Amino acid sequence: MNQDSVNLLKECEAGTKMAVDNINQVLPSVHSPEFRESLEKYRDAHVSFGDKLHQLLNGSGESEGILGTMAKMSAQMMTAVKLMLDDSDKKIASMLTDGCSMGIKSIGQYLNRYPDAGKKARSTAENILRLEESMEESLRQYL
């Protein structure tokens, strides 16, 4: 596996971990059972992609990417503060929509930054991009 493929997969893996962490953090505050079920479905899809990314990286002798502890703690604190101010489903959907938008933008940038990434790495990143787009669209009904 070439270095562009490894870098692309590591970036995607960090993003899927961030998504899982964010969804898990807001789930206890979700009021609507339908919204909770939808978030659990998307969380599970991100976990599945994370597992696939882990396998691809390990299969090539690479270690998985590391989500920075400080970045993770900062994001968790920011989410906690926002939820203390407003824990409505509307606010949760808004925060997660922002996360999806950021994920979509980031994956697009990584696909451009690592043009020599292999077909499997690019395909995986594009599938994660579609997952983010789907999640963002499904969140609109709760805004």
Side-chain angles (χ1 to χ4, degrees), residues 97-115:
T97 299
D98 291 345
C100 289
S101 294
M102 198 164 71
I104 292 165
K105 179 180 173 184
S106 295
I107 293 171
Q109 289 172 336
Y110 299 138
L111 284 165
N112 291 329
R113 184 178 303 157
Y114 305 116

Side-chain angles (χ1 to χ4, degrees), residues 74-107:
S74 175
Q76 288 176 342
M77 286 177 46
M78 189 167 61
T79 299
V81 168
K82 288 179 180 180
L83 289 175
M84 283 189 334
L85 298 172
D86 179 0
D87 73 344
S88 67
D89 286 354
K90 181 178 178 177
K91 180 63 176 181
I92 292 169
S94 177
M95 291 183 339
L96 292 175
T97 299
D98 291 345
C100 289
S101 294
M102 198 164 71
I104 292 165
K105 179 180 173 184
S106 295
I107 293 171

Side-chain angles (χ1 to χ4, degrees), residues 44-64:
D44 294 347
H46 281 88
V47 167
S48 292
F49 271 115
D51 291 345
K52 180 177 183 176
L53 292 161
H54 181 76
Q55 289 173 351
L56 288 170
L57 287 166
N58 282 344
S60 69
E62 293 290 332
S63 62
E64 60 186 277

